[in-house]
Amino acid sequence: MTSINVLMVANRGEIARRIFRTCREMGIATAAVYSDADADALHVAEADIAVRLPGATPAETYLRSDLLVDAALRVNADAVHPGYGFVSENATFARACIENGLTFVGPSPDAIEAMGSKIAAKTTMARAGVPTLPWVEVTDADDDLLHQAAEDVGYPLLVKASSGGGGRGMRTVLDEPALTEAVLAAKREASAAFGDGTVFLERLVVDPRHIEVQVLADAHGTVVPLFERDCSIQRRYQKIIEECPSPAVDDVLREQMGRAAVAAAQAVNYVGAGTVEFVMDREGHYYFLEMNTRLQVEHPVTELVTGIDLVRQQLLVAQGEPLAGEVIQAKITGHAVEARLYAENPMQQFLPQTGTLKTFDLDTVPGVRVDTGVESGSSISQYYDPMLAKVIAWAPSRSEAVRKLSAVLAQSRIHGLTTNRDLLVGILRHPEFAAGRTDTGFLTRYSPVELSRPLAGPEVEQWHAVAAALARVSQKRAEATVQRTMPLGWRNNPSQMQQVSLEAGQRHYQVQYALGDGAVHARVNNEDLGELALAAVSPHRVVLDIDGRRTAVTVASFVDNESCSVHVDSWLGYTAFTEVPRFPLAGPPQAAGSLTAPMPGSVTRVHVTAGEEVAMGQPLVVMEAMKMEHTVTSPYPGVVRDVMVERGTAVRDGDVLVVIDPSE
């Protein structure tokens, strides 16, 4: 039996903290690693000891097996837990740990290699009798062979990276003209994210359910399926809502898929926690997708319905202990749903967001768990995945768990960065989701833009604008250096209303108000709202009487570089405003036709040169941020006047990339 006294987590953020939590319960000392970008991260502060990895990018830090092993040896760790992502499915890293006397908390390097390559895994699964889809490797195929391979597989198809996951290195191809560019783009993205550009073509099951089975295996030959998770709600092939059990799986299908998952694990002599993923068509036929030889992001939903701590089981198995009776005899109790909260903008094709998270406050209730690596004031870097937190709700029934999760998300206070919070709430409250009719095409049938419409509609935004204006004038009075005793909103000409200009996205609000004794007369965009009872007003809280209902509104204001953002939360929803300065400062003019970077990142390709004619929709520049590619296209036909960047240029949000003179 192996004893683990000190565990190093070769990862960061939320998953590192999650593993540390179980370690503390088991009396195991913890060690963290961190990049320069993560020096102030929560996982570093919570570890018993931490080791710096010089650099900021994943390639310089969390993907460096040599630095990670050296860090573990420096802190006298007995074992290393890889978490998920980065080197969690890197057989070379697992082997290096073992060769240096460290226990690798995961399967053997041979099992990782067998399943780490999706191509090798499909071959192994077919031999084990697990259903698979037609596929062909095309990494080095010339154009003729590539198109022949696509014909053999059949359209529609997927181009997929053999290594890695999370939707990176994956492209949908509906017909022949899109094939070549899709393969090249997938190879580039896979090489950047995983250091391996191997890709293959696979038959596409249109809008399947994505069902995965959690397995646990010990070193004594016991393999147990811990039921299924439904992960069908996805964007960019990455899951955003997961649940256990699946509303589409009955007891018979559950047993069949469990047996297939066990067969998959046994085929590679698997030990530890792993997940066998399937796609399932409308007729209930399922096909092997891949096996993740690590802990999954969505493992909490399994923990909540079974009562089993999967990290604890990983550590026990790594120490040579057999699976306990509670694992072998596990049952499903209730229902759990998880939502992944990302710093991204669903209204702009899920562009990642970077910057400072001003406020991060999730007011949870019993039965709700939050796994996160951030807090108010945390910096969200361009180098890593933009997930802020996983919010998981458990209840005796699916409907109650869904309601509980949507309520917690809707009532959360998240300021400073655009997130997918409204999208998540929109999905959870959608009738089709409530009915359990979900598949991977959900966000194709139902527009993410429509689902992400702010929870506060236009009428509610009016009330929020009034509250924001009153809070801002209250704050300015509190910060005044002269005449601080003057009544709030006082004017020497009472016939004139005061005004504050606000913007919420593309919507403008001109708020005019006159304060009286316990009341405010308000007008928004020249629409008279009448006299409203005003129970309280301060820089952070305004209580208004709206149609006979006393409504408390919380307000948070942040000033950055002469710009003030005002965030308003109430039971009616959330609105983010920008205060328009009364006397704006003049800035340098931007050339007409300038196309700017939609987010911070680096330029990977420039497709045009000065003087070139371009068509509407033509790719101009490709950027990489948070391990994903983003293509900037021309919004209209025209002629390229200037190209301001080249390959390798690091750009900030709003930097000019290309200037185009539009055609007549």
Side-chain angles (χ1 to χ4, degrees):
M1 300 288 282
T2 302
S3 178
I4 298 178
N5 298 303
V6 180
L7 178 77
M8 190 191 86
V9 177
N11 217 297
R12 64 181 295 277
E14 169 266 324
I15 187 57
R17 298 185 70 207
R18 160 69 190 95
I19 296 166
F20 291 164
R21 185 168 68 244
T22 291
C23 286
R24 286 193 294 271
E25 294 173 0
M26 296 178 69
I28 297 173
T30 57
V33 289
Y34 64 95
S35 68
D36 291 339
D38 279 339
D40 298 322
L42 288 178
H43 78 278
V44 180
E46 290 185 2
D48 295 312
I49 191 170
V51 178
R52 173 178 174 251
L53 305 175
T57 68
E60 295 172 311
T61 55
Y62 299 108
L63 290 173
R64 286 281 301 272
S65 294
D66 55 338
L67 296 182
L68 295 170
V69 170
D70 179 66
L73 296 175
R74 287 169 60 188
V75 298
N76 295 318
D78 306 300
V80 174
H81 194 304
Y84 53 70
F86 296 129
V87 294
S88 62
E89 294 177 287
N90 185 318
T92 300
F93 174 66
R95 194 167 282 119
C97 289
I98 295 168
E99 289 173 352
N100 282 275
L102 299 164
T103 297
F104 180 76
V105 182
S108 68
D110 291 342
I112 295 175
E113 284 176 337
M115 290 299 193
S117 164
K118 293 182 176 66
I119 292 174
K122 287 181 176 296
T123 303
T124 302
M125 292 303 99
R127 290 173 182 161
V130 180
T132 59
L133 291 163
W135 61 273
V136 178
E137 183 187 349
V138 293
T139 308
D140 298 317
D142 60 26
D143 212 43
D144 290 339
L145 287 175
L146 175 61
H147 286 275
Q148 183 58 54
E151 290 295 328
D152 293 341
V153 169
Y155 293 98
L157 56 81
L158 283 174
V159 184
K160 300 176 70 174
S162 183
S163 299
R168 299 180 181 92
M170 188 180 294
R171 295 290 188 278
T172 298
V173 181
L174 301 179
D175 47 36
E176 187 175 17
L179 179 65
T180 301
E181 177 54 33
V183 170
L184 292 173
K187 288 168 66 175
R188 287 192 300 266
E189 197 167 87
S191 295
F194 316 119
D196 180 1
T198 304
V199 296
F200 64 97
L201 309 182
E202 181 181 73
R203 174 80 56 79
L204 173 65
V205 179
V206 178
D207 296 342
R209 280 189 182 264
H210 186 127
I211 309 291
E212 62 188 31
V213 178
Q214 176 72 57
V215 296
L216 269 177
D218 63 24
H220 306 281
T222 303
V223 184
V224 176
L226 286 179
F227 316 115
E228 81 286 348
R229 298 185 286 255
D230 196 317
C231 310
S232 299
I233 302 295
Q234 302 179 8
R235 57 98 177 97
R236 285 183 167 176
Y237 304 107
Q238 193 169 45
K239 309 157 190 173
I240 56 173
I241 295 179
E242 303 100 345
E243 57 183 308
C244 179
S246 168
V249 175
D250 58 21
D251 291 340
V252 174
L253 186 55
R254 181 170 296 120
E255 184 178 354
Q256 292 174 355
M257 298 184 80
R259 285 201 304 267
V262 169
Q266 290 174 331
V268 293
N269 298 315
Y270 198 84
V271 174
T275 303
V276 183
E277 303 198 356
F278 301 95
V279 290
M280 188 171 77
D281 63 22
R282 291 178 176 84
E283 286 71 45
H285 302 129
Y286 58 91
Y287 305 93
F288 175 80
L289 183 63
E290 63 183 359
M291 183 174 185
N292 295 120
T293 55
R294 53 170 169 79
L295 200 65
Q296 288 280 79
V297 176
E298 59 272 17
H299 74 273
V301 293
T302 297
E303 294 184 323
L304 290 183
V305 300
T306 62
I308 295 170
D309 183 332
L310 292 177
V311 173
R312 181 172 184 272
Q313 294 302 319
Q314 285 185 297
L315 296 174
L316 293 175
V317 167
Q319 294 177 91
E321 297 191 22
L323 294 178
E326 64 171 337
V327 176
I328 297 171
Q329 299 164 15
K331 291 183 171 60
I332 294 175
T333 301
H335 200 98
V337 187
E338 171 180 297
R340 301 190 195 184
L341 190 60
Y342 282 95
E344 64 184 16
N345 191 346
M347 310 289 277
Q348 296 182 352
Q349 300 181 325
F350 299 99
L351 283 177
Q353 306 292 296
T354 60
T356 301
L357 192 60
K358 304 291 189 181
T359 307
F360 189 69
D361 181 12
L362 278 71
D363 187 14
T364 60
V365 297
V368 173
R369 162 177 160 182
V370 177
D371 287 7
T372 182
V374 300
E375 62 182 350
S376 297
S378 290
S379 177
I380 308 304
S381 163
Q382 71 185 70
Y383 301 112
Y384 312 117
D385 188 275
M387 188 174 75
L388 301 176
K390 303 179 310 196
V391 186
I392 315 102
W394 178 93
S397 68
R398 181 178 187 268
S399 59
E400 186 180 347
V402 171
R403 283 198 308 272
K404 186 183 293 188
L405 179 58
S406 66
V408 167
L409 288 169
Q411 295 164 14
S412 60
R413 297 174 68 241
I414 307 167
H415 305 149
L417 293 174
T418 302
T419 74
N420 67 336
R421 187 270 303 272
D422 290 348
L423 172 64
L424 296 173
V425 175
I427 294 170
L428 292 167
R429 293 179 176 175
H430 195 280
E432 289 293 291
F433 185 88
R437 293 191 290 267
T438 59
D439 55 50
T440 57
F442 187 91
L443 290 181
T444 301
R445 293 192 302 278
Y446 304 106
S447 165
V449 173
E450 292 301 318
L451 289 167
S452 300
R453 292 294 180 198
L455 303 178
E459 181 181 353
V460 171
E461 282 190 357
Q462 285 188 339
W463 304 115
H464 282 182
V466 172
L470 295 175
R472 282 297 292 149
V473 72
S474 175
Q475 183 170 8
K476 290 173 181 177
R477 172 52 51 201
E479 294 172 350
T481 56
V482 296
Q483 297 181 323
R484 299 185 64 176
T485 58
M486 194 71 70
L488 178 65
W490 183 88
R491 297 179 69 105
N492 61 4
N493 184 357
S495 65
Q496 296 297 311
M497 302 182 85
Q498 295 195 72
Q499 64 181 33
V500 175
S501 294
L502 302 165
E503 290 180 349
Q506 300 299 314
R507 300 173 298 282
H508 183 82
Y509 292 94
Q510 186 82 8
V511 181
Q512 296 174 294
Y513 62 92
L515 288 161
D517 186 15
V520 59
H521 191 125
R523 185 182 298 154
V524 179
N525 293 344
N526 294 320
E527 179 182 344
D528 197 335
L529 303 183
E531 191 168 276
L532 309 172
L534 184 62
V537 58
S538 72
H540 307 296
R541 188 169 184 267
V542 176
V543 182
L544 291 168
D545 191 301
I546 301 174
D547 297 331
R549 298 169 297 173
R550 179 171 286 197
T551 302
V553 178
T554 60
V555 182
S557 302
F558 305 100
V559 178
D560 291 307
N561 299 322
E562 306 298 329
S563 175
C564 179
S565 60
V566 187
H567 304 267
V568 182
D569 295 273
S570 74
W571 73 275
L572 297 168
Y574 163 75
T575 311
F577 295 103
T578 300
E579 184 176 3
V580 180
R582 184 168 296 182
F583 306 106
L585 297 175
Q590 192 176 87
S594 295
L595 301 182
T596 59
M599 88 292 284
S602 59
V603 175
T604 58
R605 290 187 309 289
V606 178
H607 288 298
V608 294
T609 57
E612 182 178 341
E613 290 189 8
V614 294
M616 184 173 67
Q618 180 174 333
L620 305 174
V621 174
V622 179
M623 294 177 55
E624 181 185 306
M626 295 179 175
K627 300 180 281 186
M628 298 289 285
E629 283 193 346
H630 304 273
T631 302
V632 177
T633 60
S634 179
Y636 41 71
V639 177
V640 178
R641 186 200 312 170
D642 289 304
V643 177
M644 313 301 291
V645 294
E646 59 185 17
R647 182 179 179 181
T649 301
V651 296
R652 298 167 299 180
D653 184 9
D655 282 357
V656 177
L657 304 174
V658 180
V659 181
I660 296 181
D661 291 328
S663 301
E664 291 293 334

